[in-house]
Amino acid sequence: MPLRENYFGHVLAGSGISLRPLRSPPSIPTTHSYLMAVPFFRWLRTRFDLAHDMADPAEIVADVEAGIAFKGTNLWVLFFAILVASVGLNVNSTAVIIGAMLISPLMGPIVGVGFGAATSDVDLVRRGLKNLGIAAGLSVLVSALYFCFTPLTDAGSELLARTTPTTWDVAIALFGGAAGAIGFTRREVSNVVPGVSIATALMPPLCTAGYGLATAHWAFMAGALYLFCINAAFISLAMFLVARILPLPQHNFIDPQHARRAKLMFWAVALLTAVPSVYLAAGIVRRTTFEHNAQRFVDEELNLPGAYVITRRIEYDQRAINVLLTGRVLTPAQLRAVRARLDTYHLSRAQLIVRQGLAQLDSADAHALRTSLLEDVRSRNEQTMAGYDARLAQLQELLTQQAASRSGLPAPDALLREVQAEHPTVRQLALSQLAHPAADSLRADTTVVVSVRTTRPLPADEAQHLSQWLSVRAGTRRPVRLLLETTK
């Protein structure tokens, strides 16, 4: 019987079967190989390759493990982050809230859940979910205790901003989580993860929920927890997707049946994370679209000559637009004409409720009016402070120019370049004037002060040479005094 070779690398000979490797099967071109033959796609793959600077998988796993557990350092940092965020929300300080987000360790268990699901590590997912629940519960309870004892009980704009999620919160959590997952798996430490901690707010919503629990504002509590769940779910989902793309080793199982069940469970966890997230995102998009269209409708159709909008309440759940007007009273015919234009703004199923006159003012209107006033005051304060900062910068520049012109020296940036030509260790230079008032027989005079900052201490002879050079450079208009400082 002649020998017959097959593409599985074996030979059948005679009546007996003898198996031995013969040759490998011919390679079949794939779509990927065709694409990689094109220079443009090879360039794209090189530019967007995430594996070339990825950290060692063992280091990544160690970092994930260290961030999951809430004991010792992580637990103390969590308590301090809760208190800092609560104080920031209480006094309406954006800077303090940002600081709390930076030091908060809540990203650890969220990253652990996504990473564990991507690498088929059951224990990692279980511990991540457990510790996330513990940390979230502690955050709400500790912040609630703080708000029970603080004398400041008013809800500021920073606190109110964490009670109603928007479409942008979903996008920020997803894209920020993806950026954080990439930064977390790099060899070099970068500022990506701290930036993600600021962008995807986790601690402030939990402290806002604590405020709602302490003051019995259940709507605040529900909205803040809703925002936290959205952020946590989308960050975990982003970590799962990025980790699946990266060449990370999968968790090994001794029993194949156990491995199959575990993989099914991981995909179920991923779907349970993704499906509610997509559902929540879709609901937020619908709510945001309705609120945007309703706001535009009120601004364009109800601001009539002689009539003024005092408050507006847009209730998505009831599909209602509740408006309080004052000034000229609209006739029933005018109100019918306004309602007929709802279709133009894609609000065909919305109910328009128009109340006219301040006698119709209720407690909800008073709260909405107070919130609007707080936002307006905050916006005006920010604009005023920005104007003050810009004016102060202009005045400082003007004073610097005047000081340079009176001293006979060039502008600080030009003088710095001249000094660096002879003294390369000089890094910064500033000019100022020291006025000496008239006393007894001495007339008033002004000394030019040149402050120089160097990377290392200047030798005495070099410092004396620089001082003499500055006096010659300034001429005889003003005496010059040199101040030296070394950067640490």
Side-chain angles (χ1 to χ4, degrees):
M1 180 179 178
L3 296 178
R4 291 189 296 118
E5 57 182 87
N6 60 22
Y7 288 117
F8 296 99
H10 302 92
V11 174
L12 304 178
S15 58
I17 300 177
S18 174
L19 302 179
R20 61 182 178 84
L22 183 66
R23 64 184 177 90
S24 59
S27 60
I28 302 174
T30 61
T31 304
H32 181 267
S33 61
Y34 281 126
L35 290 177
M36 290 302 103
V38 180
F40 175 71
F41 288 106
R42 288 202 305 270
W43 178 83
L44 281 181
R45 181 180 180 182
T46 304
R47 291 293 178 182
F48 289 93
D49 184 20
L50 289 175
H52 76 283
D53 62 339
M54 189 184 80
D56 185 80
E59 296 179 4
I60 298 175
V61 173
D63 291 339
V64 173
E65 293 277 356
I68 283 182
F70 279 104
K71 60 181 180 180
T73 302
N74 281 357
L75 189 59
W76 280 104
V77 172
L78 175 66
F79 277 117
F80 292 139
I82 296 168
L83 294 174
V84 171
S86 299
V87 172
L89 292 170
N90 201 193
V91 300
N92 209 42
S93 173
T94 304
V96 175
I97 295 171
I98 291 175
M101 290 188 284
L102 275 173
I103 63 177
S104 168
L106 284 173
M107 282 284 289
I110 296 174
V111 168
V113 172
F115 186 84
T119 56
S120 304
D121 193 335
V122 181
D123 183 61
L124 199 61
V125 174
R126 186 184 299 115
R127 285 188 290 123
L129 291 173
K130 175 184 175 182
N131 287 320
L132 180 60
I134 293 173
L138 285 175
S139 301
V140 174
L141 291 177
V142 173
S143 60
L145 287 175
Y146 170 83
F147 284 109
C148 282
F149 293 102
T150 179
L152 304 176
T153 57
D154 292 338
S157 58
E158 290 291 343
L159 194 146
L160 293 173
R162 270 81 185 182
T163 58
T164 308
T166 65
T167 309
W168 314 118
D169 294 313
V170 176
I172 291 169
L174 182 61
F175 300 138
I182 293 173
F184 191 82
T185 55
R186 300 304 95 186
R187 284 195 297 265
E188 300 294 333
V189 178
S190 66
N191 59 354
V192 174
V193 176
V196 173
S197 300
I198 297 174
T200 56
L202 294 171
M203 183 58 73
L206 290 176
C207 294
T208 302
Y211 172 84
L213 178 63
T215 58
H217 282 80
W218 309 120
F220 285 6
M221 183 177 179
L225 290 177
Y226 183 33
L227 175 59
F228 172 78
C229 291
I230 288 172
N231 288 341
F234 275 92
I235 293 171
S236 181
L237 178 62
M239 184 67 201
F240 171 81
L241 296 175
V242 171
R244 292 295 296 179
I245 295 172
L246 295 174
L248 293 169
Q250 299 292 305
H251 188 74
N252 294 322
F253 296 92
I254 299 176
D255 184 7
Q257 190 71 20
H258 187 201
R260 192 177 303 109
R261 286 198 305 268
K263 289 183 178 180
L264 288 176
M265 187 195 72
F266 286 128
W267 282 108
V269 170
L271 289 175
L272 288 175
T273 303
V275 172
S277 302
V278 173
Y279 175 77
L280 293 176
I284 291 175
V285 169
R286 288 194 296 268
R287 176 187 291 272
T288 306
T289 303
F290 176 83
E291 292 175 350
H292 173 74
N293 292 338
Q295 293 279 8
R296 193 160 61 91
F297 171 79
V298 173
D299 291 336
E300 296 177 2
E301 301 295 339
L302 288 175
N303 278 313
L304 302 174
Y308 305 97
V309 177
I310 299 299
T311 62
R312 64 188 77 186
R313 299 205 303 269
I314 298 172
E315 302 165 346
Y316 171 74
D317 296 332
Q318 287 76 31
R319 308 287 294 181
I321 304 171
N322 196 321
V323 180
L324 176 64
L325 297 179
T326 188
R328 182 168 64 91
V329 178
L330 302 184
T331 63
Q334 289 175 316
L335 292 176
R336 283 194 299 271
V338 170
R339 288 190 175 94
R341 288 192 286 274
L342 284 169
D343 292 342
T344 309
Y345 296 85
H346 306 287
L347 299 169
S348 56
R349 286 185 285 179
Q351 179 187 8
L352 177 63
I353 302 172
V354 179
R355 293 168 295 127
Q356 303 190 66
L358 292 178
Q360 302 294 324
L361 186 72
D362 57 17
S363 60
D365 290 323
H367 177 73
L369 187 60
R370 176 178 170 275
T371 303
S372 176
L373 289 174
L374 283 174
E375 286 291 333
D376 186 56
V377 169
R378 184 178 67 86
S379 176
R380 289 179 180 274
N381 286 339
E382 290 178 352
Q383 293 176 1
T384 303
M385 291 303 297
Y388 286 158
D389 292 340
R391 183 59 179 163
L392 180 60
Q394 292 176 355
L395 291 175
Q396 287 176 339
E397 183 178 358
L398 181 61
L399 288 174
T400 302
Q401 292 175 354
Q402 290 179 350
S405 63
R406 292 176 182 175
S407 65
L409 294 171
D413 52 350
L415 183 61
L416 176 63
R417 289 192 295 269
E418 294 182 13
V419 171
Q420 285 177 334
E422 292 291 336
H423 308 277
T425 59
V426 174
R427 287 292 173 266
Q428 291 179 315
L429 185 146
L431 292 177
S432 60
Q433 295 189 30
L434 179 63
H436 301 281
D440 298 334
S441 60
L442 299 176
R443 62 183 180 85
D445 197 4
T446 304
T447 299
V448 178
V449 179
V450 182
S451 301
V452 173
R453 182 172 293 178
T454 60
T455 56
R456 59 177 177 79
L458 286 180
D461 56 343
E462 190 175 345
Q464 183 179 4
H465 173 71
L466 177 58
S467 178
Q468 292 173 352
W469 180 86
L470 288 171
S471 299
V472 174
R473 186 68 175 83
T476 57
R477 296 186 184 181
R478 299 281 190 274
V480 178
R481 182 177 180 183
L482 176 64
L483 293 180
L484 293 175
E485 181 182 356
T486 304
T487 57
K488 300 250 176 128

